[in-house]
Structures are given as structure tokens and as C-alpha cells.
Amino acid sequence: MEKFSTITSRAVPLDEENVDTDQIIPARFLKAIDRQGFGENLFRDWRYDEHDSPKADFILNNDAYKGSILIAGKNFGSGSSREHAAWALSDYGFKVVVSSFFADIFKNNALNNGLLPVQVSNSFLSIMLKKVQQDPAEEIEVNLEKQTITLLRTDESEPFEINPYKKKCLQNGYDDIDYLLSILKKVDAYEKGTTV
Amino acid sequence: MAKTLFDKIWEKHVVDRIPDGPDVLYIDRHFIHEVTSPQAFSGLEQRKIPVLRPEQVFATPDHNVPTMDQHLTIGDRLSRLQVDKLTENCNKHNIQLFHLQHENHGIVHIIGPELGITQPGQTIVCGDSHTATHGAFGTVAFGIGTSEVEMVFASQCLLQYKPKRMRITVDGELNPGVVSKDVILYIIAKLGAGGGTGYFVEFAGSTFRNMSMEARMTVCNMTIEMGARGGLIAPDDKTFEYVRGKKLSPVGAELEKKIEEWSQLYTDEDALFDIEYVFNAPDIAPMITYGTNPGMGIPIDEPVPTNKGEEKSLDYMGFKQGQHLLGMPVNYVFIGSCTNARIEDFRAVAELVKGRQKAPNINAYLVPGSKLVEKQIDDEGIREVLAEAGFTIRQPGCSACLGMNDDKVPKGEYCVSTSNRNFEGRQGPESRTILASPLTAAATALTGKITDVRTLV
């Protein structure tokens, strides 16, 4: 996994609540057997019409908005456990998703792929959405070490929570499997009802 | 100290604790299917490591499979590739596979319990959010992503933060025409689609005690639809009787010893929950959803509510605030999915449609959850009853629940569906899903419009 430190970027404001994983990547695009290429179908049915033409009113089709930060409404990533949702967001180029609330499984999937879910307050989310909608050139800094997210132009900032273990994994590019493989002796002992 | 059932099972499975970090949780049973496992197998190959405990992994292709002519080669190239890849991976890693032609093939959350793989007190995971279904047996069961599937392959463990505890108590008798699906839709409507996020739920009270195992599975299945990691119900004699005699259940003295252990699986009287909800069963009516998340549910005879912020969702559904949905024409009905494709669901449908006829405008997908359910449908004469009423039974699979195969609902059409999600486009691009119980779906199939089953019985 790639190491994560500080990201400074413009953002894409997706002003929708309850964005479920079926919207992020519809089930009919889950037939691949590798992890690549899902970005093409990110938000497929919001992004393209039935003739595969881009829908002009969808935010990803608006050239004014760019960047590696996605700002979305409350309760992002609910529904299916498909990790393809996290893969699609990463593959498209996002490194951070900001919302005021994340679904549990999505949050784990994102973290396991080096995609940082940043949970902010409802009020800060509204400010962020408004600022970026008003000025697409607004820059945002996400500092993992300090655990802060900042609107750089006005220096409005909010701290965010992340578990110390997960933080360390992201900063060092470790994944959980590396750790689990290092304790297989303990697993074996657990199965035998003994301790190491 | 008094403990909840959830705490008892969780603590028994903690292999190690990372300071300031998650628990290392041991996993007893790991179910896999064709859609969320291939990348996990590739991950193992890249690391050149084996599946640590293949005998604890069980596989079935269900999401992507056709529900007609399953004896033929799968027509869709990508679906076939995914199903073939599952077979190849299971052969390579010595994993038991209930392949498409296997007599025990079916939807992963239907076959686990009916084969006795699911047993009280276990930790169970699957790369599928509806893994919560198995909680009906008093298990800690939850859905995981593909990276986590790879972790379980590699170590039979997961790094997990312990969720908070929620108890939902429902007491009393259900009204006629009201079934377990209505109970869970009612609860989700009360708590909202994110109301359970961060929690593991225990369902308690006489209403759940009085439910069959099939009905309890429907309840636990949809726990994820309010955002909760999972939901469980303390096992009792009904649970033990259900497990007894299943193909892979323990037998003889071993089973009796297990039942003794399983009898200790309950929440202590003084145990504390982080949050509690209490509801009355007689308050619950047949429920339908009117929007694009499962929290948007109403009693079938009530109008679409006037809630702020639901305009876009109502626009998608083509509904207006204050509109009554009863009597609205519908052309599609789906009876199936890991929520409602068990024998009890088909028995209830058969009882209602017996001597009646399917409405001519209705396209009905009736999809049993497994080959065993299909066999029971035949053995009990249900196929004939349904055929006389104009219905065809398809072959097992996830089918129109998520529209990965050909069983889709066309653009703009409404479908009264016994599945678990009414998200935009869930049953096909721009399809409109109305979640309901099998009884409501069957009543709708008979009249061709949204129908209160209480007017037909």
C-alpha cells in the first residue's frame, strides 16, 4: 500500500446524502476478477445516460471541479460490502473522501486501500460544500499526522479522528495482512486452546 | 460481571489485542462467493501464501448465476469467467464448493444454515453485507470487504474494533398479515438507514422468540440496512432443533454436548447496552418502502410522508408527498433473495395464491434460495399450486435482488420486491424498487397493483 502523508488538493463537491455503494459502482460492473479499471464506472448511472453519454448536470462531468478529494453528504458508502466501491474511487484518482458520517464496512474497505475517509461535523461539511461550490479553485489540505482538514484560503480548519493503529498503517503503507501473518503462532495456539 | 450475548461470543474469539488498536478476532466460518473473492485469491498468490484453514471456508456461486437453464454453459462471458474462477480457486486451495450443479447449491446465506454449517456461538464472515443473516442462530456474523476476505484466508483472523451494543426489544403478538419482514422494515423506518452504524444489535422480546428460524433470519438479514454491523438473536430450543439433523451438523453425543454449551448463549439479566429501543408488535402493519433507501418505509395504507430532504428520492420513484400508494399499478414482482427465499416464504405465497390467478400485467420472478428449497417446493406440491395460479419457479440465485444476471427490472418500472435494498438502479438501471413482505408481494402479483394483503385473506 502507498504511504499516506499530507494531501493538498482541490475538491469535488457531491452534495448528496446516503450515497450507497450501488451508486458508487453498480452491481453489473462487478464482474471483473482483478482490482483495476473500476474508476471508469465510478458513479456510472449518475455520470452517464443509457447511451453512455455523460450527463451534463453530474458533478464529475463538470470540468470546473477537479482534485483528489471528494466531499459528499452524510452517510456515505452504505449498503453492499463491495470493496469495488473503494477501488473505483481510488482508481478514479480520489485519495480522500470527506463526509459527516460513513458506513462501517465502507470505512474499513477504504482504509484497507489507502483511501482516507475523513469524518467532519455537519456544520463543517456544509461550509466545505458551500465554499467549493462557490469557488472550484478552493484548496484543501488534509494532514494525517496532525489529523486536521483545512480550507487553505480562509484557514478554516477542523480536527478529525482516526484510530492510532490505522493511522500508523497508512503512514507506513502497512496493511493488516502483514500484521496477521506475523502472529500466526498465536492463532495456532488459540486453536489448540493454549497461549503463546 | 454481567455480559451481553454479543460480548460473550466476541471475547471467546479474541486471539490477541493490539494496544490502542483493534482486536485480533478468530473466525470460525468463512463463506465466499464468486464476486468478492477472486481478488483475495490473487492477493494470496502475489504473497505466495496458502489458505490457512481451507476446511473452515465454504463456497458457492450465487450473485452472478442465471436462474434458468443452469445445466447449460453460462451465456454471459464475464459472469462465466467469474464463476469458473471460483471453481478454479476452490480446487486449487481445497475449499468445499457447492457449484451450480451441486444438489446443495444456493444463495450463500440460505445454504449455510440449511446445511448446518452455521451453528450457535460462532463467528462468521463473508464478503457480503447480508452475512448478518446468520445472527439468527446466536452468532457474531458480519459482512467484510475483499481485503478482509484475504486476511481471513491468510490467518483465519480479522483485525476488528468491537462495535457498541444495541438491543431492540419487540414484545407482543403480530397482527394478521404482518410477518417478520414487516417487523424489520418497521424497525429500520424508525431508526433510519444509518441509525445502527457503529453498533451490533441484539433482537430480544417475545415477538422474536415466537418467530420460526426462517423468520428470524429475515430479521437479522436486514440489520445492515440500518447501518449496523450485524444483529443476533439468542439461540433457544427452536434453534437447536433447526440445527439437529442438518447435513453438516454435529451428531450424537457431540451434538448434545454442543447444545449444552449453546444453552449458555444468552445476555445476562443485568448486562448493559449502549443504547436500547423498545417497540410493540401490535403497532406494526404490513410495510412498504416509498423511497431509495430501506429506512424510507411506511405502513402500506399510509400516504408518502412529507419529510424534508426526500425530494430527489421521491422524484426518482415518481411519487409525491401525501400520495397513497395502495392501488397503484405495478408490473413487476420479485419473490426471492437471501432475505425471503426460504421454504416458509414460498409456503405463505402458495397459501395466498391457491385458487387465484396472477394478474395479466404482472411479470413475476419467483426464485428459491437454494436447491433444497426448490426440492421442498416440489415435494410439498407448491410448484403445482403456483403453476395453476400462473407463476413459474426459477432456479436458485441472487437474481433480481441486485440485477447482476439477466433478471432485471426495466427502466422506469416499479417492482414490489421481497429483497433488501431499494437503492436507485438496484434491480436494473432506473428501476424502481418497493420493498415488502412475501405476502404483500404475492397480493400485488394477484391484483396487478399495490395491495394490502389483509384485504385478500
Side-chain angles (χ1 to χ4, degrees), chain B residues 319-362:
Chain B
F319 295 154
K320 291 196 165 50
Q321 295 188 335
Q323 179 185 348
H324 278 271
L325 302 183
L326 265 186
M328 200 192 74
V330 165
N331 294 327
Y332 284 80
V333 161
F334 171 50
I335 298 175
S337 86
C338 57
T339 314
N340 281 121
R342 297 181 181 81
I343 188 59
E344 240 184 38
D345 301 314
F346 288 94
R347 281 184 195 136
V349 169
E351 198 183 330
L352 186 73
V353 307
K354 190 170 189 172
R356 294 181 163 117
Q357 279 299 311
K358 178 178 82 67
N361 63 310
I362 287 286

Side-chain angles (χ1 to χ4, degrees), chain B residues 33 45 65 72-73 131 140 143 164 213 221 245 247 272 313 361 374 378:
Chain B
H33 61 82
E45 272 155 34
V65 299
L72 301 177
T73 308
T131 309
V140 170
K164 290 182 280 186
M213 288 311 296
N221 171 277
K247 193 172 180 177
L272 291 176
S313 184
N361 63 310
E374 195 184 5
D378 284 326

Side-chain angles (χ1 to χ4, degrees), chain A residues 16-18 20-23 26-35 38 45-46 49-50 55 75 78-84 87 101-105 108-109 112-113 163-166 175-181 183-184 186-188 190-191, chain B residues 12-16 18 20-22 24 26 35-36 38-39 47 49 52-53 56 64 76 78-79 82 85 127-129 143-148 150-151 154-155 157 159 161 193-194 197-198 224 227 229 293 312 402 404 411 421 423-424 426 429:
Chain A
E16 297 285 344
E17 291 189 1
N18 297 312
D20 58 72
T21 50
D22 272 83
Q23 305 321 313
R28 62 186 191 281
F29 299 111
L30 306 184
K31 296 185 182 188
I33 54 174
D34 53 31
R35 290 177 190 236
F38 289 102
D45 293 337
W46 285 350
D49 67 15
E50 61 200 286
K55 292 182 181 175
N75 196 23
S78 59
S80 155
S81 65
R82 61 188 70 159
E83 194 161 311
H84 311 66
W87 299 338
F101 199 74
F102 288 96
D104 285 333
I105 306 180
N108 283 347
N109 287 342
N112 284 331
N113 286 279
N163 181 274
Y165 168 81
K166 277 291 173 195
D175 66 31
D176 287 356
I177 299 184
D178 298 332
Y179 179 82
L180 287 166
L181 289 172
I183 60 154
L184 285 184
K186 285 188 181 174
V187 177
D188 202 44
Y190 170 87
E191 288 175 329
Chain B
K12 206 176 164 204
H13 288 84
V14 173
V15 172
D16 202 5
I18 301 177
D20 277 336
V24 179
Y26 188 81
V35 177
T36 58
Q39 294 88 351
R47 289 171 201 264
I49 51 172
L52 186 74
R53 299 285 178 254
Q56 285 166 244
N64 222 333
D76 182 288
L78 290 173
S79 300
Q82 227 174 25
K85 195 75 190 167
D128 186 280
S129 58
I144 56 176
T146 298
S147 295
E148 293 170 313
E150 190 181 337
M151 291 171 207
S155 67
C157 289
L159 296 177
Y161 295 96
T197 304
I224 183 69
R229 261 346 272 285
N293 73 60
K312 182 174 173 273
L402 82 168
M404 271 195 89
K411 177 179 176 175
R421 287 192 176 130
F423 296 153
E424 285 184 30
R426 173 81 178 177

Side-chain angles (χ1 to χ4, degrees), chain B residues 115-379:
Chain B
L115 295 176
I117 301 167
T118 303
Q119 294 165 24
Q122 291 172 334
T123 47
I124 300 176
V125 295
C126 174
D128 186 280
S129 58
H130 294 109
T131 309
T133 312
H134 307 267
F137 292 79
T139 68
V140 170
F142 53 92
I144 56 176
T146 298
S147 295
E148 293 170 313
V149 170
E150 190 181 337
M151 291 171 207
V152 182
F153 281 158
S155 67
Q156 206 55 37
C157 289
L158 274 178
L159 296 177
Q160 287 288 305
Y161 295 96
K162 194 173 176 185
K164 290 182 280 186
R165 311 161 196 84
M166 177 188 289
R167 180 161 59 189
I168 298 174
T169 306
V170 185
D171 277 311
E173 295 264 328
L174 291 171
N175 291 313
V178 178
V179 294
S180 61
K181 180 65 165 286
D182 301 305
V183 175
I184 189 63
L185 284 174
Y186 176 88
I187 292 170
I188 300 167
K190 290 283 180 193
L191 270 69
T197 304
Y199 290 93
F200 211 96
V201 180
E202 178 171 349
F203 295 100
S206 63
T207 309
F208 301 114
R209 289 265 79 83
N210 292 335
M211 282 182 188
S212 66
M213 288 311 296
E214 284 86 351
R216 291 178 192 179
M217 283 188 252
T218 301
V219 170
C220 292
N221 171 277
M222 286 191 72
T223 331
I224 183 69
E225 307 311 335
M226 52 186 176
R229 261 346 272 285
L232 47 61
I233 295 174
D236 57 13
D237 288 343
K238 269 186 206 166
T239 320
F240 310 146
E241 283 318 302
Y242 183 99
V243 175
R244 191 188 293 275
K246 295 287 186 284
K247 193 172 180 177
L248 300 173
S249 293
V251 290
E254 195 199 338
L255 177 68
E256 299 316 316
K257 193 172 156 253
K258 285 273 186 197
I259 290 177
E260 226 178 278
E261 277 172 35
W262 297 339
S263 304
Q264 304 306 309
L265 295 170
Y266 53 82
T267 289
D268 297 332
E269 211 169 305
D270 299 326
L272 291 176
F273 288 82
D274 295 287
I275 191 163
E276 296 228 35
Y277 293 94
V278 178
F279 301 108
N280 290 313
D283 294 344
I284 305 173
M287 297 286 293
I288 52 169
T289 60
Y290 62 90
T292 54
N293 73 60
M296 299 170 79
I298 45 172
I300 194 164
D301 52 357
E302 284 188 12
V304 173
T306 49
N307 297 333
K308 266 193 190 162
E310 293 185 349
E311 294 78 7
K312 182 174 173 273
S313 184
L314 292 183
D315 195 42
Y316 180 86
M317 292 300 292
F319 295 154
K320 291 196 165 50
Q321 295 188 335
Q323 179 185 348
H324 278 271
L325 302 183
L326 265 186
M328 200 192 74
V330 165
N331 294 327
Y332 284 80
V333 161
F334 171 50
I335 298 175
S337 86
C338 57
T339 314
N340 281 121
R342 297 181 181 81
I343 188 59
E344 240 184 38
D345 301 314
F346 288 94
R347 281 184 195 136
V349 169
E351 198 183 330
L352 186 73
V353 307
K354 190 170 189 172
R356 294 181 163 117
Q357 279 299 311
K358 178 178 82 67
N361 63 310
I362 287 286
N363 300 284
Y365 293 115
L366 271 64
V367 187
S370 70
K371 290 256 171 60
L372 277 180
V373 173
E374 195 184 5
K375 185 174 180 303
Q376 280 173 290
I377 284 173
D378 284 326
D379 292 351

